[in-house]
Every structure is written in C-alpha cells, then in structure tokens.
C-alpha cells in the first residue's frame, strides 16, 4: 500500500533562510506525489505535484521539490523563507491512478522567526 | 478561495445528536471526496463520488455516517448519533477527472465539536 512519511513535526527557520521539509514515500507502482499547504482554519492548497514528467517540480510561492526514486524522497524546498510561509505542510501520494484517493503524511508545521 | 464551499464552517453539537454538512463543488468537477482531519494529523479519506455514484467508502466510515451526492452536484455528509470521537475537521475536495494525478481542490472544511 502507498504511504508517505514526513520527518519532523515542526521545523523552525529564520526569515531569509533555506526551507527544507522532508517527505519519503512508499509505493509499489510509480507514484503521483503532492505537496499541500494549510493555513490555520483553512482548507488545503496545492503547492506542487509530481506526475512522472520532470523530476524537479516548481510550484507556487517559490517552492520546489525534487523526485528521487533511488531515495524514495520528494523533499520540499524554498531558498529564502518569508514570514507568510508559516503554515502546516502536507505531503501526499495518490493511490490507484483511477481512484486518485490521496494518502497524506502527518504534516510538518513550519515556523518562521524574524 | 478554491471555488469549493462548505457549510457550515463550524458546528458544535451534543453527543447523540445528528449533524449534516454540505459541500458545493466547482461546477464542472465530476469527482468529489470527503476527508476527515483530526488535530495534529493529515486528512484521512472517507469516501468519494463519481458524479452521483458513491464508489468507495473507507473503513473509517461507520454505519453512523452517510454521504450523498444527488444529481452529481452538491454533496452532504450526515453523522447520526454523534460521539466525542467524531470531533474533527471534515474536508471536501473535488476534481475534474482528466487522467492521472489530477489536482484535488479543497474546501475550507467544517469543524465539528461534539460535547
């Protein structure tokens, strides 16, 4: 069964520093992978997705992620953190290409300090 | 605003009462999913519809839960005889099925508190 693991429930960075949020997946078939962001008391917004095209995926708000099959990873990065990036981030894998149910990780809360 | 709306945004109820939530999808989206998110966790799949047909239900969806999507438009999720363990955020997501890896658009959620 497909699953994702997010390492670190909380990540703290200073404004302007590199953001790195880790996600490892498990899948018996080529996965479709997603990163979503959730602000307090709101739904989820798609940052970016990997669907077997380019392994380096660029998303909104300056985020990008690289699919590494050998490491079964899909880590999310941003070169320079902004205060507005403080939120909860979820990695997800799409289960069964027809079904397209999402299986989410437990999330990583990003804290950005001035 | 993703274009998916949910009503109500917040619901407080007493244990044993019935509650109903509504989700209005983006108009042309043929798939609709319900997820449940508890504090400190990622969303968990409950059920989904292809147009008006309910095609899959999670084991999380006990017989106290029922979902409908009449006419393939809006959807409702009803919980009967609510329990404190039902307290969670209930999220609706919709997509236009084109192929693979299609984006799901999430609504703002309904936060349920069972006292």
């Amino acid at each position: 069964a497909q699953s994702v693991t997010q390492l670190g429930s909380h990540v703290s960075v200073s404004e302007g520093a590199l953001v790195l949020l880790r996600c490892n997946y498990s899948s018996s078939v080529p996965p479709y992978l997603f990163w979503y962001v959730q602000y307090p008391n709101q739904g989820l917004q798609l940052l970016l997705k990997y669907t077997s095209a380019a392994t380096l995926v660029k998303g909104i708000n300056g985020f990008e992620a690289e699919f590494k099959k050998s490491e079964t990873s899909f880590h999310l990065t941003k070169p320079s953190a902004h205060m507005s990036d403080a939120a909860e981030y979820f990695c997800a894998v799409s289960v069964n290409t027809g079904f397209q149910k999402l299986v989410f990780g437990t999330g990583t809360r990003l804290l950005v300090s001035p | 605003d993703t274009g998916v709306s949910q009503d109500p945004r917040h619901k407080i109820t007493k244990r044993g009462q019935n509650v109903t939530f509504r989700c209005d999808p983006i108009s042309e989206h043929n798939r609709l999913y319900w997820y449940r998110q508890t504090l400190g966790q990622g969303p968990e799949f409950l059920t989904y519809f292809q147009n008006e047909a309910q095609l899959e239900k999670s084991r999380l969806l006990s017989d106290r839960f029922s979902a409908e999507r009449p006419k393939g438009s809006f959807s409702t999720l009803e919980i009967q005889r609510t329990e404190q363990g039902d307290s969670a955020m209930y999220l609706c997501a919709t997509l236009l099925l084109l192929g693979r890896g299609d984006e799901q658009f999430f609504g703002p959620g309904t936060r349920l508190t069972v006292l």
Side-chain angles (χ1 to χ4, degrees):
Chain A
Q2 285 92 337
S3 65
V4 292
T5 302
Q6 292 185 243
L7 297 176
S9 59
H10 292 79
V11 169
S12 295
V13 299
S14 300
E15 192 172 20
L18 171 71
V19 175
L20 171 61
L21 305 182
R22 300 178 185 274
C23 174
N24 288 88
Y25 70 89
S26 173
S27 177
S28 57
V29 298
Y32 297 105
L33 295 161
F34 303 78
W35 274 101
Y36 281 86
V37 61
Q38 186 177 34
Y39 296 98
N41 297 314
Q42 294 188 26
L44 283 74
Q45 180 184 10
L46 182 69
L47 283 175
L48 50 81
K49 66 178 182 179
Y50 167 76
T51 56
S52 73
T55 56
L56 181 62
V57 182
K58 295 187 183 297
I60 62 171
N61 301 339
F63 284 93
E64 63 181 39
E66 186 172 8
F67 174 74
K68 291 187 177 180
K69 184 178 179 181
S70 61
E71 299 177 8
T72 61
S73 68
F74 190 57
H75 301 331
L76 182 70
T77 61
K78 182 174 181 178
S80 177
H82 192 272
M83 296 295 291
S84 61
D85 294 327
E88 188 93 21
Y89 291 79
F90 293 96
C91 182
V93 61
S94 179
V95 175
N96 186 317
T97 54
F99 190 165
Q100 298 207 41
K101 175 184 79 171
L102 292 175
V103 174
F104 288 87
T106 52
T108 298
R109 180 166 298 279
L110 178 64
L111 306 169
V112 183
S113 56
Chain B
D1 185 358
T2 63
V4 180
S5 60
Q6 292 187 245
D7 184 71
R9 294 291 307 275
H10 302 274
K11 178 70 177 179
I12 300 174
T13 191
K14 293 182 179 179
R15 188 178 55 183
Q17 298 294 306
N18 299 343
V19 295
T20 300
F21 311 140
R22 176 178 171 126
C23 171
D24 285 274
I26 297 171
S27 60
E28 66 270 22
H29 283 193
N30 46 13
R31 282 272 180 96
L32 188 148
Y33 300 78
W34 284 99
Y35 293 86
R36 181 173 70 184
Q37 184 179 22
T38 54
L39 204 61
Q41 299 297 316
E44 296 174 291
F45 169 79
L46 292 178
T47 188
Y48 90 100
F49 293 84
Q50 170 87 13
N51 299 312
E52 67 275 9
Q54 187 175 17
L55 298 184
E56 186 74 20
K57 293 192 287 187
S58 162
R59 287 175 296 177
L60 293 175
L61 214 66
S62 75
D63 56 7
R64 295 185 298 105
F65 288 70
S66 62
E68 295 182 342
R69 192 183 183 199
K71 303 178 183 179
S73 56
F74 71 92
S75 176
T76 58
L77 178 67
E78 180 183 16
I79 308 175
Q80 296 182 328
R81 305 181 303 281
T82 53
E83 301 173 355
Q84 289 186 327
D86 297 332
S87 295
M89 174 80 89
Y90 290 84
L91 294 164
C92 171
T94 72
L95 70 75
L96 177 63
L97 184 64
L98 296 175
R100 301 179 174 185
D102 300 313
E103 177 183 352
Q104 292 191 21
F105 292 81
F106 282 81
T110 295
R111 182 169 296 283
L112 173 65
T113 301
V114 181
L115 302 176

